[in-house]
């Protein structure tokens, strides 16, 4: 039996967990998208649009929201969405060299392409709608922004102009022709063939990128675009930003703090940002004028998303994800060890498919043993992603504790002295994986800080002798207060701990 046959036997047409990135699942996303509580606020009134910032952890659903806004704009012919995700940073050696001019030049190119797409319609009366002076200005803008574009721009434009139908391929003929030739053809169809190479532009206009942005927005409005959304995403996935929140912020710093631009009539920016950027952006952005929203998933929303996902990929044959497990607590463990991350849920489930196929390809349900083994393997993988230094990761596995003091780690010989332990745990506390939870009183000695892991994958990796079952029984608690329900990790087998949110004792 092949794994494809195994997946079909389970009831799926294809593997529902093959992709963990929403960009790979555009066609299916409508079927299982769960609207965050604030989604309609982000969409807002498109004819009086406002800029927003959406924060979420990696894998938390930012891109899915962006795609759903793209899809929604396609339903209205007077709303334009430009997806700003691809950045050609080849002209820069360091990320702090990126400035507002870089963003405006690129965005003006995309806005102009959208403009020419609109006026290319044979029913559009270009000469009547735009005066001679406006037409001259339009061709000067084309000379500035479209005459000499980088080699990477055609592909970037195709990915960015997703609301123009077929990724704008029809209009730009797959960019097999130079853009200048295409504009020459458009202008010829409108009564006057324009050769951009012969258009003269004064230096002042060439450098007035923000004023040009304002004017292009006005030109688009005359083409019956009454609202423009700029959807900014994947700022932490560029070659000069990578896994660095500070560098990721520097890429958009000048853009996110320019209120004049962000409050342009008929134009709004929607920033979908990794939540690690928040400490930086709150200082640069104006939260009183650019509202922000935090994406946090609930347990119920994750279950609903998974059930809708398997329903979509099984053509309605499977409507309840829990029915695929021989023990209902297995689904709970998947969600628990995902840290309420949709992406990590999908990654665990994908591993479960592979492991169940190896264990018993004839089984139509996932066994508890397979689920636990998949979670163990995922935790090792995730820990190595979060702590990329091999030596530091090795120290993690030697702690054998979920909550501890520095002195306790010295006694257990994780390192030779307190200073060495501090050097080990400093990266964990800086990254937010480890947090100070209180003081421990000592007889005839000064009180010391107690720490606890905040990420269950690291907490589990720190206790390698425990099985998933033993770990969840002895190291995990959900607050028993009905209005709290906070999940937290401690060495509950060694002593009692209060809930970090409501201070309730949970034995």
């Amino acid at each position: 039996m092949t794994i494809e046959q195994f997946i079909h036997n389970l009831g799926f047409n294809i593997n529902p967990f093959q992709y963990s990135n929403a960009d790979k699942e555009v066609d299916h996303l409508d079927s299982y998208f769960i609207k965050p509580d604030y989604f309609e606020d982000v969409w807002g009134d498109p004819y009086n649009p406002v800029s927003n910032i959406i924060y979420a952890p990696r894998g938390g659903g930012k891109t899915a929201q962006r795609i759903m806004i793209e899809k929604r704009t396609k339903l209205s012919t007077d709303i334009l969405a430009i997806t700003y995700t691809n950045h050609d940073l080849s002209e820069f050696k360091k990320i702090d060299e990126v400035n507002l001019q870089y963003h405006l030049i690129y965005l003006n190119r995309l806005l102009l392409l959208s403009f020419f797409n609109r006026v290319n319609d044979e029913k559009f009366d270009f000469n009547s709608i735009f005066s001679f002076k406006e037409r001259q200005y339009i061709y000067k803008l084309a000379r500035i922004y479209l005459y000499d574009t980088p080699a990477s721009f055609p592909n970037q434009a195709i990915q960015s102009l997703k609301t123009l139908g077929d990724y704008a391929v029809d209009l730009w003929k797959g960019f097999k022709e130079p853009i200048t030739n295409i504009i020459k053809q458009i202008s010829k169809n409108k009564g006057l063939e324009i050769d951009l190479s012969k258009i003269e532009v004064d230096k002042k206009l060439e450098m007035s990128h923000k004023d040009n942005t304002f004017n292009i927005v006005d030109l688009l409005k005359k083409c019956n675009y009454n609202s423009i959304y700029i959807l900014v995403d994947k700022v932490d996935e560029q070659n000069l930003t990578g896994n660095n929140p500070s560098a990721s912020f520097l890429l958009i710093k000048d853009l996110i703090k320019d209120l004049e631009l962000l409050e342009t009539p008929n134009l709004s920016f929607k920033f979908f940002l990794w939540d690690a950027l928040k400490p930086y952006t709150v200082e640069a952005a104006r939260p009183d004028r650019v509202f922000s929203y935090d994406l946090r998933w609930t347990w119920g929303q994750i279950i609903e998303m998974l059930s809708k996902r398997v329903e979509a990929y099984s053509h309605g044959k499977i409507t309840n994800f829990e029915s695929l497990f021989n023990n209902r607590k297995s689904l709970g463990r998947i969600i628990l060890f995902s840290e309420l991350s949709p992406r990590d849920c999908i990654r665990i489930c994908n591993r479960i498919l592979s492991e169940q196929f190896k264990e018993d390809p004839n089984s139509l349900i996932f066994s508890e043993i397979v689920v636990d083994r998949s979670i163990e393997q995922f935790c090792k993988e995730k820990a190595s992603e979060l702590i990329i230094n091999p030596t530091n990761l090795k120290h993690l596995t030697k702690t054998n504790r979920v909550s501890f003091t520095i002195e306790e780690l010295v006694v257990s010989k994780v390192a030779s002295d307190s200073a060495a332990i501090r050097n080990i745990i400093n990266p964990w506390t800086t990254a937010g994986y480890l947090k100070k939870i209180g003081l421990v009183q000592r007889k005839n000695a000064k009180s010391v800080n107690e720490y606890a892991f905040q990420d269950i994958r690291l907490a589990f990796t720190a206790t390698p002798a425990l099985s998933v079952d033993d770990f969840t029984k002895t190291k995990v608690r959900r607050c028993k207060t009905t209005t709290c329900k906070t999940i937290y990790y401690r060495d509950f087998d060694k002593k009692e701990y209060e809930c970090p949110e409501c201070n309730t004792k949970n034995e």
Side-chain angles (χ1 to χ4, degrees):
M1 182 185 294
T2 66
I3 193 164
E4 288 80 9
Q5 290 172 324
F6 170 64
I7 289 169
H8 289 159
N9 289 344
L10 288 172
F12 300 114
N13 50 315
I14 58 173
N15 182 355
F17 309 114
Q18 183 175 2
Y19 300 113
S20 60
N21 190 333
D23 273 327
K24 301 286 188 179
E25 300 182 294
V26 174
D27 294 337
H28 291 90
L29 187 59
D30 306 65
S31 304
Y32 60 82
F33 179 70
I34 304 296
K35 279 187 183 181
D37 293 338
Y38 57 77
F39 184 78
E40 292 301 327
D41 297 297
V42 173
W43 174 259
D45 177 0
Y47 304 112
N48 187 25
V50 295
S51 296
N52 300 114
I53 304 172
I54 299 91
Y55 297 107
R58 282 178 165 172
K62 299 183 296 296
T63 295
Q65 289 184 74
R66 188 207 82 214
I67 291 172
M68 292 307 292
I69 288 180
E70 289 173 2
K71 286 175 172 283
R72 195 162 175 176
T73 59
K74 288 184 179 181
L75 302 177
S76 303
T77 59
D78 62 343
I79 302 176
L80 171 67
I82 290 179
T83 302
Y84 192 25
T85 56
N86 294 314
H87 303 273
D88 181 359
L89 303 177
S90 57
E91 65 182 278
F92 305 108
K93 293 182 179 179
K94 298 185 297 183
I95 194 63
D96 56 6
E97 295 174 357
V98 178
N99 54 26
L100 184 62
Q101 176 176 296
Y102 162 80
H103 294 293
L104 291 175
I105 290 173
Y106 181 68
L107 289 174
N108 285 349
R109 283 176 178 148
L110 295 175
L111 290 168
L112 267 181
L113 287 182
S114 303
F115 171 84
F116 281 110
N117 175 73
R118 196 71 149 186
V119 303
N120 189 49
D121 190 324
E122 59 183 19
K123 296 178 183 177
F124 191 90
D125 193 348
F126 184 69
N127 292 331
S128 296
I129 292 174
F130 296 104
S131 66
F132 175 79
K133 186 176 181 181
E134 286 174 321
R135 296 198 298 273
Q136 295 304 303
Y137 176 65
I138 289 166
Y139 294 129
K140 287 180 180 179
L141 289 175
R143 176 65 173 80
I144 294 171
Y145 296 111
L146 300 179
Y147 178 65
D148 187 19
T149 58
S152 62
F153 181 67
N155 182 59
Q156 290 175 318
I158 289 173
Q159 294 299 315
S160 297
L161 302 177
K162 295 182 179 182
T163 60
L164 299 187
D166 295 326
Y167 293 76
V169 172
D170 288 341
L171 172 63
W172 304 110
K173 301 176 184 177
F175 287 92
K176 292 177 183 176
E177 291 186 46
I179 292 175
T180 52
N181 290 345
I182 297 168
I183 292 174
K184 182 186 291 187
Q185 184 61 41
I186 292 173
S187 60
K188 183 179 180 180
N189 292 341
K190 300 302 177 183
L192 179 65
E193 183 176 323
I194 298 297
D195 184 349
L196 290 184
S197 65
K198 297 180 180 179
I199 298 289
E200 294 185 4
V201 180
D202 62 80
K203 208 67 177 171
K204 184 178 179 181
L205 180 62
E206 198 168 358
M207 299 305 294
S208 302
H209 299 299
K210 189 191 289 189
D211 287 338
N212 291 339
T213 300
F214 299 150
N215 292 330
I216 296 171
V217 169
D218 288 339
L219 292 172
L220 284 164
K221 191 171 182 181
K222 296 187 76 169
C223 296
N224 297 318
Y225 272 129
N226 294 312
S227 180
I228 302 168
Y229 286 176
I230 308 293
L231 309 177
V232 184
D233 192 11
K234 301 182 181 296
V235 300
D236 56 312
E237 298 181 19
Q238 310 304 315
N239 65 310
L240 294 182
T241 60
N243 198 36
N244 188 326
S246 175
S248 301
F249 165 70
L250 289 174
L251 174 59
I252 58 165
K253 180 185 70 172
D254 288 349
L255 193 60
I256 207 167
K257 71 180 184 180
D258 193 315
L259 286 177
E260 183 183 23
L261 182 64
L262 300 186
E263 295 180 342
T264 304
N266 304 107
L267 176 69
S268 66
F269 286 76
K270 309 294 181 181
F271 295 91
F272 298 89
L273 303 181
W274 178 23
D275 60 358
L277 274 68
K278 193 171 185 178
Y280 304 93
T281 55
V282 292
E283 293 185 11
R286 283 283 300 274
D288 58 324
R289 290 166 66 176
V290 181
F291 297 148
S292 65
Y293 301 92
D294 292 279
L295 175 56
R296 293 290 181 265
W297 289 78
T298 66
W299 198 276
Q301 286 174 326
I302 292 285
I303 292 176
E304 183 185 1
M305 180 274 293
L306 289 171
S307 289
K308 291 177 74 171
R309 187 183 185 95
V310 296
E311 183 176 7
Y313 279 91
S314 67
H315 294 311
K317 296 176 185 175
I318 304 169
T319 58
N320 182 0
F321 190 46
E322 189 178 303
S323 66
L324 293 176
F325 299 90
N326 69 349
N327 191 329
R328 68 189 302 264
K329 72 179 180 182
S330 291
L331 176 56
R333 285 182 179 175
I334 293 170
I335 299 171
L336 175 66
F337 280 86
S338 76
E339 286 281 359
L340 296 180
S341 162
R343 177 177 294 166
D344 285 347
C345 267
I346 293 164
R347 290 176 63 184
I348 295 172
C349 291
N350 190 51
R351 187 172 289 276
I352 289 170
L353 275 177
S354 299
E355 291 299 319
Q356 186 62 62
F357 175 69
K358 287 189 290 184
E359 180 77 16
D360 180 7
N362 294 309
S363 176
L364 298 181
I365 57 173
F366 305 132
S367 71
E368 184 179 344
I369 293 173
V370 164
V371 172
D372 286 356
R373 184 165 68 234
S374 300
I375 289 172
E376 288 176 10
Q377 293 173 350
F378 171 74
C379 286
K380 291 178 183 178
E381 182 180 316
K382 189 72 177 182
S384 65
E385 293 171 6
L386 297 175
I387 301 177
I388 58 176
N389 183 301
T391 302
N392 203 258
L393 183 60
K394 188 175 180 180
H395 282 122
L396 174 72
T397 62
K398 292 172 63 178
T399 59
N400 282 309
R401 306 198 57 147
V402 173
S403 48
F404 54 80
T405 65
I406 288 176
E407 288 67 22
E408 286 171 337
L409 295 190
V410 173
V411 171
S412 59
K413 298 183 180 180
V414 174
S416 58
D417 54 36
S418 297
I421 295 293
R422 287 192 183 91
N423 287 334
I424 290 169
I425 69 171
N426 274 342
W428 307 345
T429 54
T430 300
Y433 306 147
L434 188 71
K435 185 178 180 181
K436 186 172 75 173
I437 61 171
L439 293 172
V440 173
Q441 306 295 327
R442 299 188 298 170
K443 288 184 179 180
N444 304 318
K446 185 179 178 181
S447 298
V448 293
N449 292 325
E450 185 173 20
Y451 300 86
F453 287 108
Q454 305 300 296
D455 188 292
I456 193 171
R457 287 71 63 94
L458 296 183
F460 180 71
T461 305
T463 54
L466 296 180
S467 66
V468 169
D469 192 55
D470 289 336
F471 177 85
T472 54
K473 288 177 180 176
T474 60
K475 308 296 183 182
V476 182
R477 291 289 183 275
R478 174 181 281 183
C479 182
K480 62 186 179 183
T481 305
T482 55
T483 55
C484 183
K485 298 289 187 181
T486 297
I487 297 174
Y488 56 110
Y489 323 116
R490 307 283 189 270
D491 288 322
F492 295 105
D493 50 332
K494 293 182 172 61
K495 68 177 186 179
E496 291 182 349
Y497 288 90
E498 294 179 344
C499 171
E501 293 296 322
C502 69
N503 299 320
T504 300
K505 283 190 176 182
N506 295 274
E507 293 85 3

